[in-house]
Amino acid sequence: MGTKVTVVGGGSTYTPELVDSLCDHQDRISVDELVLLDPDTDRLEAVGGLTDRILRAKGWTGTLTTTSDRHRAIDGADFVVVQLRVGGQSARHSDETVPGGYGCLGQETTGPGGLAKALRTVPLVLEIAEETAERAAPAAWLVDFTNPVGIVTQALLDEGHRAVGLCNVAMLVQRRIGHYLGLDPDRVELEHVGLNHLTWARSATVDGVNRMPELLERYRAEFELETGIPAGLLRLLGALPSYYLHYYYCLDHNVAEQAAPGWRTRAEVVAELECELLDEYRDPNLITRPEKLSFRGGAFYSEAAVRLMASLGAGTGDIQVVDVRNDGALAELSDDAVVEVPCKVDATGAHPLPQRALPPDMAGLVAHCKAYERLAVEAAITGSRDTMIRALVANPLVGQYPRAEQLADALLAANRHWLPRFFPGER
Ligand code: G6P
């Protein structure tokens, strides 16, 4: 029997990449029904049109549907891929600018901006998960790409949903390392551990040999450029942190950079890029995804999604880095904490592999951020301003009071329209 995949937020400019990957991996996963669900019919028309042309050009014979009807989209689905963005780039712009007014970092997944995004997103993704449990195929999986992935997945798994969180960071790091070693990235086995957007590659093993010490020695300058983390710190850590850790390790520098005249938010840059992409997508002669799409940070996310769905569907038992319940993988965290680690993926789910004990600096930061993530989930579900303030105090990128309280009120004001749990009856 064929597979039905529903993409929630299917009007995203990323969709053509996902579709490309689905076609390229038909030997691993055979999808015969693809549904793009999006409330924005304009986008759906542009993205759906290109999607259809790509699929046909690649000889795909399945059914493609574009719809704004959630019930219809989720009915009988085997996989529900969630890649939505509540409030679009304008809400992201506020995540990236409001914190600056309080001397804090403006970023859409970490720090106060990430909390605002979590508050907008968690209730909606939970609604979609409930609908998936009711209407999708009995053993359907929800694959979450929606940021902040760590918090959204924590909320999903706390509520008992069949969900896996996914990010492209591990895949990007694996590709960079493959590039530096002149090897097929699939040969590099990464010891990638931590929480979503808070991970370190502690080793990179090829044919049984850990090449990380050699890589850190030879390519420290390149890694500094790619992650924004000073070479001196890379040496001390003896591991390759993800790009997102530069927001923690170099916080003052980042805040100052954002306060400099002429600074543009990533939301502004992406909004412009999206307009250009959508214009290109509307061209009836275009039958491949435009090069420009690779300027988005989520490149290769689709590769990760298709690999995950294929392994869950076929029960291959291969190793992939995903976001799941810890279940003992990191001894420093409780079993129900969602972590991002290598997992064995089979038909029953993604099972985290036990990891080495974390050194004190990594263990401390991970525990600190997990405490924040838990409060973020609670605030998003309850709509409690008090819990939101506690979450900000617990976030290492805020951590101070009364700043946390002022920031909470500013973020609530900026997001009022998107927070029905905080402002019931207003929408
Ligand atoms: C990275 C992250 C993703 C994030 C993306 C943003 O790849 O891993 O979680 O969504 O960057 O890219 P953008 O083009 O929207 O800035």
Side-chain angles (χ1 to χ4, degrees):
M1 226 179 58
T3 302
K4 173 173 175 178
V5 174
T6 296
V7 185
V8 182
S12 160
T13 50
Y14 279 125
T15 299
E17 195 194 307
L18 179 66
V19 165
D20 248 0
S21 270
L22 280 174
C23 289
D24 294 347
H25 292 285
Q26 286 186 65
D27 52 328
R28 301 176 74 176
I29 177 168
S30 151
V31 175
D32 61 5
E33 197 179 346
L34 178 63
V35 181
L36 306 184
L37 169 70
D38 207 291
D40 185 333
T41 48
D42 257 11
R43 269 177 174 263
L44 212 44
E45 203 186 317
V47 175
L50 175 60
T51 299
D52 188 46
R53 295 191 297 279
I54 293 176
L55 290 169
R56 302 306 155 210
K58 294 202 170 215
W60 188 70
T61 53
T63 314
L64 170 71
T65 313
T66 56
T67 180
S68 299
D69 177 343
R70 200 159 86 190
H71 285 356
R72 185 172 156 224
I74 293 178
D75 265 342
D78 298 288
F79 293 99
V80 175
V81 178
V82 184
Q83 56 175 34
L84 55 86
R85 180 185 284 282
V86 180
Q89 297 298 333
S90 82
R92 178 182 185 171
H93 182 73
S94 99
D95 297 343
E96 293 174 341
T97 50
V98 170
Y102 301 84
C104 286
L105 177 83
Q107 212 282 325
E108 67 155 349
T109 63
T110 55
L115 176 61
K117 185 161 166 61
L119 301 182
R120 293 194 299 271
T121 310
V122 164
L124 180 59
V125 177
L126 287 178
E127 243 179 61
I128 290 162
E130 277 150 30
E131 201 157 335
T132 300
E134 276 166 28
R135 309 183 78 101
W141 286 101
L142 187 150
V143 175
D144 180 62
F145 258 115
T146 292
N147 273 320
V149 165
I151 297 171
V152 172
T153 310
Q154 186 72 60
L156 285 164
L157 297 187
D158 284 353
E159 301 283 319
H161 292 294
R162 270 170 75 85
V164 184
L166 201 50
C167 183
N168 63 344
V169 166
M171 189 163 268
L172 288 173
V173 171
Q174 195 189 30
R175 280 175 184 265
R176 290 314 291 157
I177 290 180
H179 164 79
Y180 289 125
L181 294 176
L183 292 172
D184 174 355
D186 283 338
R187 287 185 56 200
V188 180
E189 202 184 301
L190 271 194
E191 187 189 5
H192 169 109
V193 296
L195 309 181
N196 180 245
H197 287 186
L198 195 92
T199 49
W200 297 264
R202 297 185 67 192
S203 65
T205 302
V206 180
D207 298 333
V209 179
N210 176 17
R211 309 283 298 270
M212 189 55 89
E214 166 201 340
L215 282 160
L216 286 173
E217 191 55 43
R218 283 174 62 191
Y219 299 106
R220 219 182 278 158
E222 287 83 348
F223 290 145
E224 171 169 333
L225 214 66
E226 287 168 11
T227 61
I229 297 166
L233 181 56
L234 294 175
R235 184 182 65 79
L236 294 176
L237 291 168
L240 181 59
S242 95
Y243 160 86
Y244 283 90
L245 273 153
H246 90 288
Y247 292 122
Y248 294 81
Y249 293 142
C250 309
L251 178 60
D252 289 354
H253 169 82
N254 282 295
V255 172
E257 212 171 65
Q258 295 191 343
W263 177 69
R264 290 185 79 206
T265 63
R266 180 71 187 153
E268 289 172 308
V269 175
V270 170
E272 238 172 65
L273 182 61
E274 287 206 309
C275 275
E276 291 168 22
L277 282 170
L278 288 170
D279 269 355
E280 291 194 31
Y281 289 8
R282 288 192 181 94
D283 173 359
N285 297 314
L286 184 71
I287 56 165
T288 54
R289 76 176 134 135
E291 230 353 84
K292 234 181 236 163
L293 185 52
S294 61
F295 298 160
R296 292 296 305 275
F300 301 115
Y301 93 100
S302 54
E303 182 84 18
V306 174
R307 282 186 188 207
L308 175 64
M309 290 191 283
S311 299
L312 286 170
T316 42
D318 56 323
I319 311 297
Q320 300 182 22
V321 173
V322 292
D323 291 84
V324 289
R325 264 175 58 104
N326 180 37
D327 284 338
L330 296 178
E332 298 80 3
L333 294 178
S334 59
D335 282 355
D336 64 353
V338 166
V339 294
E340 188 169 294
V341 293
C343 295
K344 186 169 183 214
V345 185
D346 62 28
T348 62
H351 310 285
L353 302 177
Q355 300 298 316
R356 291 188 283 158
L358 295 175
D361 38 3
M362 292 182 196
L365 191 51
V366 161
H368 195 160
C369 288
K370 182 45 71 181
Y372 151 70
E373 288 190 358
R374 300 238 190 224
L375 288 163
V377 170
E378 192 186 322
I381 291 177
T382 58
S384 155
R385 173 180 173 272
D386 284 355
T387 311
M388 181 185 180
I389 297 169
R390 286 177 62 206
L392 289 167
V393 172
N395 190 304
L397 301 181
V398 183
Q400 292 183 51
Y401 188 88
R403 180 188 275 184
E405 185 170 37
Q406 294 158 354
L407 200 43
D409 288 334
L411 291 169
L412 288 175
N415 286 280
R416 205 176 171 101
H417 179 69
W418 303 111
L419 299 177
R421 298 209 182 183
F422 284 83
F423 305 102
E426 278 203 14
R427 276 184 84 181

